């Protein structure tokens, strides 16, 4: 039985090449995924995602893997940078796709509301919406009558004017009948259609499967436990290097939340995320830990959040 699963068919070639290189290094080292997790400080679940192409490994994980396997970090980091660019472009495409889906759903919701009322009116009038057509016919008939009256003799003009008035009166009767029918039968149906929530709107408000919070409900919660750091749901909005540590602002548009992450850290280092007056902190506490996360803060956009780090050695820094 093969040790590794086949990579996704739609994976970018540069990401696939980089993932394949990671697999070769792990195979050559003879380490299991569990042993790799113990030696690098990154969880077994994270390494399974990295090695199966479901998530791009952060720079800190690559540095740790190079150290464990005795590989030069220079060339491995170069391949990582190429893969990271491809991954960022894929995330941007997915963000645009999700945005277009939300726009389409919003347009569908507005269209469903207008369509429900129009259908109720049409059903009450016998299935045909005749008022606009009659109004247009009325205007055209009036114009014809005026032209005919101007060109015909006095008696002919009066006769045609009387015919026009009689026709207009008949149109008014038809319009009044339609209005009464619509007001009695269709009005209640239209009101019910307006007051009842549209199925598409309800679905659009629901978070994707596995996501357990949205917006303010995410503040103070763990991104991984709530599903906000799931595949395709999170991007790196900002990054900075402070000493040997890499600082990131992680952002989930789906959850409407951001959090701070530090990799390549040392015990005693602290990372914090700030959005307005909301502040959350995370510490590197374990002797072998090299990574730490903050709880989430609610944001409406990635540019609202700033991550900062205070190293145990006394150095500080923030994302740009």
């Amino acid at each position: 039985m093969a040790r590794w699963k086949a990579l996704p068919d739609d994976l970018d070639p540069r990401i696939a090449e980089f993932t394949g290189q990671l697999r070769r290094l792990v195979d050559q080292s003879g380490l299991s995924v569990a042993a790799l997790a113990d030696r690098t400080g990154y969880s077994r679940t994270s390494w399974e995602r990295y090695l199966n192409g479901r998530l791009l490994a952060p720079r800190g994980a690559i540095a740790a893997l190079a150290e464990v396997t005795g590989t030069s970090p220079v060339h491995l980091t170069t391949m990582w940078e190429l893969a990271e660019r491809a991954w960022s472009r894929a995330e941007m495409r997915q963000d645009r796709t999700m945005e277009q889906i939300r726009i389409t759903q919003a347009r569908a919701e507005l269209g469903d509301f207008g369509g429900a009322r129009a259908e109720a009116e049409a059903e009450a009038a016998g299935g045909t919406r005749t008022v606009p057509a009659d109004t247009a016919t009325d205007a055209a008939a009036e114009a014809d009558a005026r032209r005919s009256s101007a060109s015909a003799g006095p008696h002919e003009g009066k006769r045609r004017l009387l015919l026009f008035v009689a026709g207009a009166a008949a149109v008014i009767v038809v319009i009044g009948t339609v209005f009464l029918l619509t007001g009695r039968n269709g009005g209640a149906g239209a009101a019910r259609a307006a007051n009842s929530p549209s199925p598409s709107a309800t679905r659009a408000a629901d978070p994707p499967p596995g996501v357990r919070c949205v917006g303010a409900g995410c503040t103070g919660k763990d991104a991984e436990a709530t599903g906000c750091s799931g595949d395709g749901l999170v991007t790196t909005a900002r990054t900075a290097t402070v000493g040997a540590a890499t600082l990131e602002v992680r952002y989930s548009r789906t959850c409407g939340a951001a959090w701070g992450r530090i990799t390549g850290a040392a015990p005693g280092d602290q990372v914090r995320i700030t959005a307005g007056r909301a502040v959350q902190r995370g510490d590197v506490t374990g002797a072998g830990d090299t990574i730490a996360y903050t709880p989430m803060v609610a944001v409406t956009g990635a540019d609202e959040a700033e991550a900062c780090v205070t190293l145990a050695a006394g150095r500080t820094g923030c994302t740009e």
Side-chain angles (χ1 to χ4, degrees):
M1 181 177 178
R3 181 179 185 183
W4 308 113
K5 296 180 181 178
L7 295 175
D9 295 334
D10 57 349
L11 198 63
D12 186 279
R14 280 161 293 192
I15 301 175
E17 181 184 4
F18 175 69
T19 305
Q21 181 63 34
L22 296 183
R23 290 179 171 186
R24 283 190 290 273
L25 290 175
V26 175
D27 287 338
Q28 291 170 3
S29 68
L31 295 173
S32 65
V33 176
L36 183 65
D38 290 338
R39 296 196 182 187
T40 60
Y42 290 78
S43 69
R44 177 175 179 173
T45 301
S46 296
W47 275 115
E48 288 175 347
R49 292 176 176 176
Y50 304 155
L51 295 169
N52 285 305
R54 295 170 54 197
L55 189 65
L56 184 67
R59 186 192 291 267
I62 300 310
L65 177 65
E67 182 179 357
V68 167
T69 59
T71 305
S72 171
V74 176
H75 301 303
L76 192 59
T77 301
T78 298
M79 293 185 66
W80 176 84
E81 289 174 348
L82 295 174
E84 198 275 336
R85 292 192 193 103
W87 191 275
S88 297
R89 284 193 293 269
E91 287 182 334
M92 291 176 63
R93 286 194 297 270
Q94 182 170 8
D95 286 345
R96 286 195 294 269
T97 300
M98 293 297 295
E99 182 176 357
Q100 187 59 43
I101 290 174
R102 292 190 182 96
I103 292 173
T104 301
Q105 290 174 335
R107 288 173 177 169
E109 157 62 6
L110 293 175
D112 287 346
F113 174 76
R117 182 169 184 174
E119 288 174 4
E121 293 177 353
E123 182 179 356
T128 304
R129 294 188 295 177
T130 59
V131 174
D134 288 339
T135 304
T137 303
D138 184 13
E142 182 179 1
D144 289 341
R146 288 176 179 174
R147 287 194 296 270
S148 299
S149 298
S151 60
H155 298 291
E156 184 65 19
K158 290 180 179 180
R159 187 178 68 84
R160 291 185 178 179
L161 182 59
L162 289 174
L163 290 175
F164 165 74
V165 172
V171 170
I172 292 174
V173 171
V174 172
I175 294 175
T177 303
V178 172
F179 176 78
L180 289 175
L181 291 174
T182 302
R184 292 179 181 178
N185 300 324
R192 286 192 298 269
N195 293 330
S196 61
S198 169
S200 60
T202 302
R203 288 193 297 270
D206 293 338
V211 175
R212 299 182 180 87
C213 71
V214 175
C218 293
T219 297
K221 295 182 179 180
D222 182 86
E224 186 170 353
T226 55
C228 292
S229 63
D231 296 341
L233 299 181
V234 61
T235 60
T236 297
R238 292 191 181 92
T239 185
T241 301
V242 182
T246 299
L247 177 66
E248 298 169 278
V249 173
R250 302 287 283 170
Y251 170 63
S252 172
R253 181 193 298 269
T254 301
C255 293
W259 59 96
R261 180 173 75 176
I262 182 174
T263 55
D269 293 351
Q270 183 186 78
V271 58
R272 68 180 182 275
I273 188 78
T274 304
R277 297 183 178 180
V279 180
Q280 297 291 336
R281 292 178 173 82
D283 300 289
V284 182
T285 55
D289 291 345
T290 59
I291 185 171
Y293 298 83
T294 70
M296 294 184 288
V297 293
V299 294
T300 57
D303 56 348
E304 294 183 9
E306 180 186 49
C308 296
V309 63
T310 301
L311 302 181
R315 187 171 180 178
T316 61
C318 298
T319 55
E320 296 180 357

